[in-house]
Amino acid sequence: MRFRATSLAALAAIPLALSACGTAPAPEPAPAPPKAAGPEGIEWAGRLCGLVNDFSASQKNLPGVDKSNTAAMKNSVVARLDTASKTADGTVRGLQQLPPSPIAGGDQVNQGIQDGFVQIRDILVGARAKADQVDPNDKQKFTEGMTALQGELQKSTQVDLNSKFGALEKNQQLAEAAKQAPGCKPFFNPAPPQPAPGQPAPAPAQPGQPQ
């Protein structure tokens, strides 16, 4: 069976896409510097980022997959998808419950991000439904069911969350507020990549050496 149950690749791709949100193309130069972000705008931006960051972090800590037998594997995949879909739904609800943005254009940015997470939630719900239908008692049907599930999860690659965050960066006042908000720091300062198991960490660059 070719399905890699330990990876659920489409789910893993979601936090990877989010971690790149801070690397969207720079906005076009403005004729004048943006208006300074007030404390209310900074707090609002931080809450927005915090909801997204919480989802990203949760996807890295989903329940594991038990490959000891087909029944255990099905049940653990269902549990994994159930957790992921509920977390996505919680993110959507949190974004919906944000108060009106004190920064002009912020509500439109929030709506775009909401739309992206609605897509993710619906994909995860659809995948969970397919996982429920997998027959663990027939090897061929089990393989076919897992293949169909994998195809459902592949739809997540079509959700362009980076463009949603690109809209945030194009709003200069909102981007300035986000840069000052603690909840947004993971997007502007992503954690350095970790070495593969058994591989040494890269040595820090010496002065005068290329980065």
Side-chain angles (χ1 to χ4, degrees):
M1 187 172 65
R2 295 181 180 180
F3 178 73
R4 295 181 60 194
T6 57
S7 64
L8 285 178
L11 279 181
I14 293 174
L16 290 177
L18 290 174
S19 67
C21 287
T23 62
E28 295 179 2
K35 185 179 177 181
E40 297 84 1
I42 294 171
E43 180 184 3
W44 188 90
R47 290 177 63 180
L48 175 73
C49 291
L51 287 164
V52 178
N53 189 52
D54 287 348
F55 174 83
S56 177
S58 73
Q59 299 311 289
K60 299 173 185 177
N61 295 286
L62 292 172
V65 175
D66 184 349
K67 298 189 293 180
S68 57
N69 56 68
T70 54
M73 183 173 174
K74 172 186 173 176
N75 291 336
S76 60
V77 167
V78 168
R80 184 178 177 90
L81 291 169
D82 192 47
T83 298
S85 61
K86 287 179 179 178
T87 305
D89 185 62
T91 302
V92 170
R93 292 175 183 273
L95 291 168
Q96 291 172 339
Q97 293 168 3
L98 275 179
S101 170
I103 297 174
D107 292 331
Q108 288 79 2
V109 171
N110 181 14
Q111 185 61 57
I113 295 173
Q114 279 186 50
D115 293 344
F117 274 99
V118 167
Q119 290 179 271
I120 290 172
R121 179 195 63 192
D122 292 349
I123 289 168
L124 292 171
V125 170
R128 189 198 184 287
K130 286 191 179 296
D132 276 333
Q133 297 170 7
V134 172
D135 184 356
N137 300 311
D138 183 298
K139 185 176 181 180
Q140 181 176 348
K141 290 182 178 179
F142 180 78
T143 301
E144 291 172 352
M146 285 297 183
T147 300
L149 169 60
Q150 195 172 29
E152 188 71 21
L153 287 172
Q154 282 296 325
K155 294 178 182 178
S156 69
T157 61
Q158 301 171 15
V159 181
D160 187 3
L161 284 173
N162 283 331
S163 69
K164 311 297 185 184
F165 276 82
L168 184 154
E169 290 194 324
K170 289 177 181 178
N171 182 319
Q172 293 192 339
Q173 189 178 2
L174 186 56
E176 185 64 27
K179 289 176 183 177
Q180 298 180 57
C184 295
K185 289 189 182 300
F187 300 118
F188 291 100
N189 300 292
Q194 298 299 312
Q199 297 295 320
Q206 299 297 320
Q209 291 185 344
Q211 299 295 318

